[in-house]
């Protein structure tokens, strides 16, 4: 099955990250102490420079130099802190991969269940979304739009049918770049820390993302205030230096500037349309695009993404300048620095001016950014499967073709214990029989989930896999609807009715209908008669039906064209009076039953009754 899996890469990566974390913490502490020392020096020197004493000009120069040094150290400190946050994000990203090699991924908090709709029967039956799902196992999505996009592809594989081949090439290339997958997920995770501020697909429902291209305003009165506040403070300082007014006046001008700027803060934020409120517009995403820029791609789709980021439309430049603008905004988060900038420079007016200029020059290029992030998250998630499971690139034919496979296994089962199967399913009607717990249902899901993976361009967990494209219907996890007055049996009838109506519809594609334990909710006589009629109606017009059942009578069923149904089975054996299953699909009808044996093992039937 594909290439050999190896955890060594991730273990070595974790060790390197731990060493880097220690180095960054030491650097962080050194800069913090240096910043405190320079700040105290600036306060002392400026105080001495503004009091009457010999050589006060030298103290003033020294104080000014210390202030500049203080701001430089703030920037250095911020850079180290960013590296620490990124390293912390990467540590959690790397730690998730060993869990995916086994079944520990079932504890991941994000399972995509919120995207599963009541009518998504295929996604629910095949564990594509929800607890214990494919989404939960492979998702590396950190942005809200990325998660939505991955869920949509799993729910609606037909939506990417036309680009399956280019997707397949891109996903295969990403699976061979584990370093890039780790780096990319880490920078996205570090950027999108607050899901409430993520942009999502629907233009009308972008929580926290009030930025719109060309809507950032900077009216004339803001320009006046942007000039007035710093000019007033500069004038006061010059008058103090000339000895015309007392040094105490600098406090007065500072307070006036602070009140003017702080008083307009609400208006400033409204006018700038919340450019600093969304994760996408806080400058956090530049490292994401830098990571894309620094990687070399060969596949058509990934090269297209790379070109969109680095091309002449200026997306990377827009992100870089927004990142610098966000760094300036981040100075506000230091209480002392923020207060000084507000009172002396009118900081918020300057930020509004710079935001307005950025919007006019780069807003259009920026607009498509989160689409690129989400697309690469979705493709990368599907590539993860081929990193943690042995997969093969499937062949998808355009003409009618059987589903042929060797070494086919379920991607969500423990790879150390999962049993693979070989086979060919080409008949319009296939009946699968077998004892309880012998593997019939798991086999249906194994075929189906690998088909979905092949449709969306991902690798499949097999040695070889070939199929044509079919619209899939499933009837597996049937639930009643007490509020709606629908029993389990009737709910199953409605599902099978949906299949039949689609098959008879004018624009129907070739279909694959997977039915587990057909009509198990009613008595055996009605079940057999109803199943015969339903299965004959479904197995026509190029459709394929695979059904599991305990009713051996259905094994003799013929299709509408009087050709016999194809039969396969799963069976059990007994070792030391215990049931043993090999989970291997075999040709023909099952000849064994194990219900009484299971009841006996559970203590619900005695040996004598079991033998009768």
């Amino acid at each position: 099955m594909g290439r050999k899996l190896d955890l060594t890469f991730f273990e070595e990566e974790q060790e390197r990250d731990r060493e880097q974390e220690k180095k960054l913490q030491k650097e962080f502490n050194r800069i913090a102490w240096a910043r405190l020392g320079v700040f105290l020096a600036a306060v002392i020197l400026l105080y001495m420079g503004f009091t009457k004493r010999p050589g006060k000009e030298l103290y003033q120069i020294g104080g000014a130099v210390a202030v500049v040094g203080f701001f430089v150290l703030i920037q250095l400190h911020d850079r180290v802190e960013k590296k620490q946050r990124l390293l912390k994000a990467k540590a959690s990203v790397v730690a998730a991969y060993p869990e995916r090699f086994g079944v520990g991924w079932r504890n991941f908090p994000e399972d995509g269940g919120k995207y599963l709709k009541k009518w998504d029967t295929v996604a629910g039956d095949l564990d594509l979304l929800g607890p214990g799902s494919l989404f939960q196992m492979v998702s590396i999505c950190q942005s809200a739009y990325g998660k939505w996009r991955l869920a949509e592809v799993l729910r609606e594989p037909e939506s990417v049918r036309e680009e399956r081949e280019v997707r397949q090439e891109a996903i295969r290339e990403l699976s061979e770049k584990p370093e890039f997958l780790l780096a990319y997920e880490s920078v996205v995770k570090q950027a999108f820390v607050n899901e409430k501020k993520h942009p999502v697909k629907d233009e009308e429902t972008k929580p926290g993302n009030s930025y719109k291209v060309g809507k950032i305003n900077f009216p004339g009165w803001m320009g006046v205030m942007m000039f007035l506040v710093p000019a007033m403070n500069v004038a006061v300082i010059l008058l103090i230096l000339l000895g015309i007014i007392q040094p105490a006046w600098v406090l007065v001008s500072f307070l006036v500037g602070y009140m003017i700027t702080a008083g307009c803060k609400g208006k400033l934020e409204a006018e700038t349309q919340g450019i600093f409120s969304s994760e996408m517009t806080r400058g956090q995403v530049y490292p994401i695009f830098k990571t894309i820029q620094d990687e070399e791609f060969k596949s058509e789709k990934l090269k297209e993404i790379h070109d969109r980021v680095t091309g002449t439309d200026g997306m990377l430049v827009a992100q870089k300048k927004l990142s610098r603008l966000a760094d300036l905004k981040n100075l506000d988060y230091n209480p002392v620095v923020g207060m000084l900038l507000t009172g002396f420079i009118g900081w918020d007016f300057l930020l509004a001016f710079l935001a307005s200029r950025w919007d006019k020059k780069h807003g259009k290029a920026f607009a498509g950014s989160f689409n690129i992030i989400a697309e690469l998250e979705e493709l990368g998630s599907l590539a993860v499967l081929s990193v943690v499971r042995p997969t093969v690139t499937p062949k998808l034919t355009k003409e009618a073709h059987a589903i042929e496979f060797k070494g086919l296994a379920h991607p969500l089962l423990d790879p150390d214990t999962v049993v693979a199967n070989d086979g060919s399913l080409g008949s319009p009607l296939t009946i699968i029989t077998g004892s309880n717990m012998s593997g019939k249902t798991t086999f249906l899901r194994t075929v189906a989930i690998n088909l979905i993976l092949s449709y969306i361009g991902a690798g499949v967990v097999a040695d070889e896999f070939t199929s044509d494209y079919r619209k899939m219907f499933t009837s597996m996890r049937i639930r009643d609807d007490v509020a709606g007055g629908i029993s389990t049996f009737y709910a199953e009838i409605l599902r099978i009715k949906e299949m039949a109506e689609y098959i008879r519809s004018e624009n129907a594609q070739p279909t694959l209908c997977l039915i587990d334990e057909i009509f198990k909710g009613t008595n055996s006589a009605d079940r057999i008669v109803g199943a015969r009629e339903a299965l004959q109606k479904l197995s026509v017009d190029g459709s394929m039906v695979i059904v599991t059942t305990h009713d051996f009578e259905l094994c003799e069923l013929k299709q509408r064209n009087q050709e016999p149904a194809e039969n396969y089975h799963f069976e059990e054996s007994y070792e030391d009076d215990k049931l043993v299953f090999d989970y291997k699909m075999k040709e023909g009808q099952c000849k064994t039953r194990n219900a009484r044996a299971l009841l006996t093992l559970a203590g619900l039937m005695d040996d004598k009754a079991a033998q009768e």
Side-chain angles (χ1 to χ4, degrees):
M1 257 192 221
R3 59 184 178 77
K4 182 180 179 181
L5 305 178
D6 191 357
L7 278 169
T8 305
F9 168 79
F10 299 101
E11 292 169 348
E12 291 176 348
E13 199 72 19
Q14 286 177 310
E15 183 59 33
R16 284 192 291 268
D17 289 345
R18 282 191 286 268
E19 292 298 319
Q20 180 67 8
E21 183 182 9
K22 293 177 183 178
K23 292 179 182 178
L24 286 175
Q25 188 58 48
K26 289 180 180 178
E27 186 177 357
F28 182 88
N29 293 337
R30 283 197 300 268
I31 296 175
W33 283 110
R35 190 175 70 172
L36 177 61
V38 170
F39 176 76
L40 293 175
V43 172
I44 294 171
L45 290 170
L46 289 174
Y47 172 77
M48 296 179 72
F50 283 102
T51 55
K52 293 181 178 180
R53 64 182 65 236
K56 66 177 182 178
E57 291 81 6
L58 291 176
Y59 288 118
Q60 291 169 357
I61 294 172
V65 171
V67 168
V68 172
F70 178 69
F71 281 105
V72 170
L73 287 171
I74 286 177
Q75 291 297 309
L76 293 175
H77 203 255
D78 186 55
R79 289 178 189 176
V80 174
E81 192 174 19
K82 282 183 178 180
K83 290 179 181 179
Q84 287 181 312
R85 288 199 302 266
L86 179 59
L87 195 61
K88 183 178 179 181
K90 186 185 175 187
S92 65
V93 167
V94 176
Y97 274 83
E99 303 299 328
R100 291 187 174 107
F101 278 86
V103 293
W105 57 267
R106 292 177 180 272
N107 296 318
F108 290 176
E110 187 68 59
D111 61 22
K114 63 184 177 182
Y115 304 105
L116 186 62
K117 310 301 180 185
K118 185 178 180 180
W119 55 86
D120 291 329
T121 55
V122 173
D125 284 348
L126 302 184
D127 297 312
L128 300 178
L129 298 169
S133 67
L134 182 65
F135 183 103
Q136 187 177 22
M137 177 190 181
V138 304
S139 176
I140 63 170
C141 302
Q142 302 296 329
S143 72
Y145 186 26
K147 295 171 188 176
W148 177 90
R149 185 176 180 124
L150 176 60
E152 282 296 290
V153 168
L154 294 174
R155 289 177 61 246
E156 301 287 345
E158 292 182 8
S159 65
V160 294
R161 179 178 179 179
E162 297 302 319
E163 53 176 331
R164 190 197 70 89
E165 290 183 4
V166 294
R167 285 173 56 85
Q168 189 178 73
E169 184 186 14
I171 292 169
R172 184 169 59 246
E173 181 178 359
L174 287 173
S175 72
E176 296 168 354
K177 293 177 175 287
E179 297 92 345
F180 173 77
L181 289 177
L182 289 178
Y184 185 74
E185 184 181 359
S186 300
V187 291
V188 179
K189 185 179 182 69
Q190 189 272 336
F192 290 91
V193 294
N194 186 349
E195 188 164 305
K196 291 182 179 179
K197 294 182 178 180
H198 291 195
V200 296
K201 178 182 183 295
D202 189 346
E203 288 291 329
E204 300 303 316
T205 56
K206 290 184 181 176
N209 188 29
S210 55
Y211 167 71
K212 303 216 182 278
V213 179
K215 297 295 184 180
I216 296 181
N217 299 312
F218 190 76
W221 68 269
M222 284 189 186
V224 173
M225 292 297 105
M226 183 180 70
F227 171 78
L228 178 63
V229 172
M232 175 184 64
N233 281 288
V234 169
V236 168
I237 291 171
L238 287 175
L239 291 173
I240 293 171
L241 292 175
L242 293 172
I244 298 176
I245 59 177
Q246 295 297 315
W249 277 98
V250 74
L251 180 61
V252 175
S253 66
F254 165 78
L255 290 175
V256 171
Y258 185 86
M259 287 187 291
I260 291 174
T261 308
C264 296
K265 193 175 186 66
K267 183 66 174 176
L268 288 167
E269 290 181 350
E271 292 291 349
T272 54
Q273 292 294 307
I275 188 173
F276 301 113
S277 63
S278 164
E279 301 288 5
M280 280 299 297
T281 52
R282 292 197 311 176
Q284 302 262 27
V285 297
Y286 173 69
I288 301 175
F289 288 89
K290 186 69 169 62
T291 302
I292 298 172
Q293 180 197 40
D294 292 344
E295 190 68 27
E296 184 178 344
F297 298 109
K298 297 179 181 178
S299 62
E300 178 183 340
K301 177 168 278 295
L302 295 180
K303 285 172 67 176
E304 177 193 346
I305 291 174
H306 187 273
D307 291 345
R308 286 164 63 191
V309 169
T310 61
T312 56
D313 61 353
M315 184 175 290
L316 190 65
V317 174
Q319 292 291 352
K320 187 173 184 177
K321 293 195 174 180
L322 180 59
S323 182
R324 290 175 179 170
L325 185 58
D327 286 341
L328 295 176
K329 174 65 176 176
N330 287 341
L331 293 174
D332 275 350
Y333 299 135
N334 184 303
V336 176
V337 175
M339 184 179 293
L340 292 173
L341 291 174
T342 300
F344 283 118
I345 304 178
W347 192 239
D348 289 312
F349 291 113
L350 180 60
L351 287 176
F353 171 70
L354 295 174
S356 175
R357 282 185 55 189
W358 175 87
D359 177 51
K360 289 179 172 60
K361 289 188 67 176
H362 305 290
K364 189 175 180 181
F366 169 84
S369 298
F370 73 90
N371 294 289
I372 286 180
I373 293 173
E375 184 175 13
L376 202 47
E377 281 186 296
E378 179 251 312
L379 294 171
S381 295
L382 296 174
V384 164
L385 181 64
S386 294
V387 175
V388 300
R389 293 289 185 274
T391 63
V392 68
T393 300
K395 297 178 181 177
L396 195 64
T397 63
K398 294 183 179 180
E399 64 276 1
H401 195 281
I403 304 170
E404 297 178 342
F405 47 88
K406 289 183 180 179
L408 184 70
H410 199 298
L412 304 183
L413 297 181
D414 189 337
D416 293 332
T417 58
V418 68
V419 175
N421 270 286
D422 302 341
S424 177
L425 302 171
S427 172
L429 178 58
T430 300
I431 309 291
I432 299 178
T433 49
S435 304
N436 296 289
M437 302 194 307
S438 60
K440 304 185 302 298
T441 304
T442 299
F443 175 73
L444 283 189
R445 291 198 174 104
T446 300
V447 171
I449 196 170
N450 279 290
L451 277 170
I452 295 292
L453 288 168
S454 73
Y455 294 163
I456 60 180
V460 301
V461 185
D463 293 326
E464 297 179 13
F465 191 88
T466 304
S467 74
D468 54 6
Y469 188 93
R470 293 177 177 273
K471 182 172 178 60
M472 192 180 299
F473 291 90
T474 60
S475 177
M476 296 181 185
R477 290 188 175 119
I478 307 296
R479 295 191 179 98
D480 59 6
D481 182 355
V482 177
I486 297 176
S487 68
T488 303
F489 176 57
Y490 189 59
E492 184 177 6
I493 289 175
L494 293 178
R495 285 227 196 157
I496 294 176
K497 177 186 176 185
E498 180 187 3
M499 299 176 192
E501 288 179 343
Y502 178 84
I503 290 170
R504 292 197 302 268
S505 66
E506 184 177 345
N507 299 317
Q509 303 175 38
T511 60
L512 174 64
C513 302
L514 302 167
I515 306 173
D516 186 38
E517 300 291 354
I518 187 168
F519 294 148
K520 56 182 174 290
T522 190
N523 64 79
S524 59
D526 289 343
R527 178 167 63 246
I528 293 168
V529 172
R532 282 174 176 165
E533 290 297 318
L535 293 175
Q536 285 188 338
K537 282 184 169 61
L538 294 176
S539 56
V540 295
D541 300 329
S543 65
M544 284 178 61
V545 183
I546 306 175
V547 59
T548 68
T549 182
H550 286 288
D551 297 314
F552 293 163
E553 295 88 342
L554 294 180
C555 295
E556 307 301 324
L557 186 63
K558 293 185 177 180
Q559 305 163 40
R560 184 62 61 89
N561 62 5
Q562 297 307 304
E563 288 289 324
E566 198 167 50
N567 275 271
Y568 292 96
H569 73 278
F570 290 82
E571 62 186 21
E572 78 286 346
S573 60
Y574 291 84
E575 295 180 9
D576 299 327
D577 295 326
K578 293 183 179 179
L579 279 172
V580 177
F581 302 98
D582 64 8
Y583 305 112
K584 285 289 189 180
M585 185 179 72
K586 302 174 180 66
E587 293 186 356
Q589 174 185 339
C590 181
K591 303 296 183 183
T592 62
R593 302 174 186 269
N594 70 4
R596 293 187 182 187
L598 290 173
L599 288 168
T600 302
L601 289 172
L604 300 176
M605 179 180 287
D606 57 37
D607 292 337
K608 183 178 178 181
Q611 294 170 5
E612 292 178 355

